[in-house]
């Protein structure tokens, strides 16, 4: 595999797409730098290579062998690296490329953390967009599943009622009230979403640590990948991924990335539903480890190939949003820098 191809391909658990993504999920693999390429070795035998300049992101899962020099070279190239745990697909670490050098953006971003009105506006924008997206997902499901019309219609009614409160110009909700609206919306939404999946999957609502059924295992993985995309987009735009406005800064959490993906979660939920609806993913592709439900290696091959094909527009949307947000902060932060330098 010495030249990239236009579509994702699989060789010894390697997925690659020109100018995009490399997913490595094979414990027998070793990664080495070979000139301007990343070379793959399996049991000591070279299996292929890819030009480093073509890689935007690399996802590593399992006990792969690589050196700090490989990570350094990828970072120098601006390639973001996401490391996932071997079986549970939990995020272990993220390696990003060089940071943006415009301090004005981060100064203004940090200042907005203390602007309660701005934080409330931002939070309302993100959560209202998420709730409207939840309504769209359930309405589209109603057209495909008339047998589920009643529970879906009831959930839609509850969500539209919450939307009307969030959109009220007379009394815009505070961040604290928005958290209550979001929790109520989540309850209504998942009561509708669960009826779309066959009872054999055991999906009765959202469970996180650990995910207890195949649907939740996929939701956790796709949310992890979306969060990684948001961290990368924020970093590329010069924003600080740690400084969020709805999700307040917390130790070890990229809160801005959490803010950014809120409106995208229903889109991811709908995608997961379609994977099961079309039987692209099936119960036999999952296993159990205590209370945790795990997506097996064959299932991960299917999952990643479909994820890469489906979420390209979402990446572009996140990058565009981050550029716009950074441009706004840059305009706000530049006068502060000029005054300080004078």
């Amino acid at each position: 595999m010495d030249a990239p191809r236009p579509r994702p391909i699989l060789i010894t658990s390697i997925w690659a797409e020109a100018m995009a993504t490399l997913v490595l999920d094979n414990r027998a693999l070793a990664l080495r730098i070979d000139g301007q390429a990343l070379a793959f070795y399996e049991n000591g035998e070279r299996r292929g290579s890819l030009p480093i300049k073509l890689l935007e992101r690399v996802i590593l899962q399992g006990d792969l062998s690589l050196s700090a020099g490989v990570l350094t070279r990828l970072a120098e190239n601006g390639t973001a690296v996401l490391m996932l745990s071997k079986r549970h697909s939990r995020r272990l670490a993220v390696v990003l490329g060089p940071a943006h050098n415009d301090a004005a953006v981060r100064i203004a971003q940090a200042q907005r953390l203390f602007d309660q009105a701005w934080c409330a506006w931002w939070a309302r924008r993100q959560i209202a967009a998420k709730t409207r997206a939840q309504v769209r997902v359930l309405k589209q499901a109603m057209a495909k599943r008339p047998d589920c019309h009643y529970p879906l219609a009831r959930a839609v009614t509850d969500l539209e009622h919450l939307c009307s409160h969030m959109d009220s110009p007379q009394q815009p909700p505070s961040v604290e009230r928005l958290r209550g609206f979001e929790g109520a919306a989540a309850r209504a939404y998942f009561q509708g979403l669960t009826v779309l999946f066959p009872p054999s999957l055991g999906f009765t609502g959202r469970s996180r640590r650990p995910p207890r059924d195949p649907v939740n295992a996929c939701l956790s993985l796709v949310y992890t990948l979306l969060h990684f995309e948001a961290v990368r987009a924020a970093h590329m735009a010069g924003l600080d991924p740690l400084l969020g406005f709805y999700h307040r800064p917390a130790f070890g959490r990229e809160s801005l990335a959490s803010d950014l993906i809120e409106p995208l979660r229903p889109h991811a939920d709908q995608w997961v539903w379609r994977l099961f609806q079309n039987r692209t993913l099936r119960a036999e592709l999952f296993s159990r480890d205590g209370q945790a439900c795990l997506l097996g290696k064959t299932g991960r091959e299917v999952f990643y190939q479909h994820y890469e094909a489906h979420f390209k527009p979402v990446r572009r949307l996140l990058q565009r949003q981050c550029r716009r947000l950074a441009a706004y902060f840059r305009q706000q932060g530049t006068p502060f820098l000029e005054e300080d330098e004078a």
Side-chain angles (χ1 to χ4, degrees):
M1 191 178 63
D2 293 316
R5 302 183 185 180
R7 298 181 59 189
I9 59 177
L10 173 62
I11 295 181
T12 63
S13 299
I14 299 169
W15 296 267
E17 183 167 336
M19 298 303 294
T21 304
L22 172 68
V23 181
L24 302 174
D25 184 6
N26 186 334
R27 63 183 179 181
L29 281 179
L31 308 184
R32 302 175 191 172
I33 298 297
D34 182 7
Q36 301 300 314
L38 184 64
F40 316 112
Y41 290 79
E42 186 176 22
N43 298 321
E45 180 183 354
R46 182 178 171 123
R47 300 302 300 249
S49 64
L50 278 175
I52 293 174
K53 66 180 181 181
L54 297 182
L55 296 176
E56 294 181 359
R57 64 192 63 76
V58 175
I59 299 172
L60 306 176
Q61 185 158 2
D63 299 327
L64 297 109
S65 174
L66 72 164
S67 66
V70 171
L71 291 176
T72 300
R73 187 66 174 274
L74 291 172
E76 289 174 346
N77 185 61
T79 303
V81 180
L82 171 63
M83 302 178 193
L84 299 175
S85 61
K86 179 179 177 181
R87 300 188 65 202
H88 293 75
S89 299
R90 295 195 190 104
R91 188 184 81 162
L92 299 178
V94 171
V95 179
L96 300 172
H100 199 286
N101 292 324
D102 192 346
V105 173
R106 296 197 176 201
I107 290 170
Q109 182 184 356
Q111 288 176 324
R112 284 300 189 187
L113 284 174
F114 306 100
D115 185 338
Q116 293 184 359
W118 198 91
C119 289
W121 171 84
W122 168 263
R124 178 186 178 188
R125 176 183 183 273
Q126 298 302 101
I127 300 307
K130 176 183 179 180
T131 308
R132 288 192 293 268
Q134 290 171 333
V135 170
R136 287 195 299 272
V137 167
L138 296 185
K139 283 185 173 180
Q140 290 170 8
M142 287 169 62
K144 294 181 178 293
R145 292 289 304 272
D147 57 311
C148 299
H149 183 273
Y150 177 72
L152 292 173
R154 184 174 57 186
V156 166
T157 298
D158 292 343
L159 288 168
E160 289 180 334
H161 179 69
L162 291 165
C163 282
S164 67
H165 282 288
M166 283 188 277
D167 293 336
S168 173
Q170 286 80 21
Q171 189 178 7
S174 64
V175 172
E176 290 71 24
R177 288 191 66 203
L178 278 167
R179 298 191 199 284
F181 286 144
E182 184 192 15
R187 288 190 292 273
Y189 172 67
F190 277 102
Q191 284 173 2
L193 192 68
T194 54
V195 304
L196 299 175
F197 295 86
S200 59
L201 292 174
F203 178 52
T204 58
R206 186 76 178 104
S207 61
R208 297 172 177 81
R209 299 184 183 90
R212 302 193 178 196
D213 56 79
V215 178
N216 272 298
C218 290
L219 291 177
S220 291
L221 180 53
V222 72
Y223 292 165
T224 296
L225 296 175
L226 277 179
H227 191 270
F228 168 64
E229 301 288 0
V231 169
R232 181 174 182 269
H235 181 79
M236 289 171 58
L239 299 164
D240 190 333
L242 294 171
L243 303 183
F245 307 104
Y246 177 60
H247 296 84
R248 304 298 290 179
F251 183 82
R253 181 179 71 188
E254 294 97 345
S255 297
L256 179 62
S258 297
D259 285 1
L260 289 167
I261 69 169
E262 286 295 352
L264 302 176
R265 289 178 182 270
H267 179 79
D269 303 338
Q270 185 179 54
W271 177 72
V272 168
W273 170 48
R274 288 174 176 167
L275 289 180
F276 284 98
Q277 181 191 34
N278 300 332
R279 292 190 57 77
T280 303
L281 287 179
R282 304 174 302 281
E284 55 266 29
L285 297 176
F286 296 79
S287 63
R288 302 206 67 85
D289 181 12
Q291 292 186 328
C293 182
L294 308 178
L295 179 59
K297 189 169 183 179
T298 300
R300 292 197 298 270
E301 292 178 11
V302 174
F303 181 97
Y304 280 119
Q305 289 174 351
H306 283 78
Y307 174 86
E308 183 63 23
H310 186 80
F311 280 87
K312 288 181 186 177
V314 173
R315 289 189 189 120
R316 291 194 292 267
L317 175 63
L318 282 168
Q319 291 166 8
R320 187 164 60 249
Q321 290 178 334
C322 286
R323 287 195 299 268
R324 290 175 178 173
L325 189 59
Y328 169 78
F329 286 142
R330 186 174 296 109
Q331 184 181 19
Q332 299 294 310
T334 300
F336 179 89
L337 284 179
E338 290 176 347
E339 181 182 347
D340 183 62
E341 291 171 353

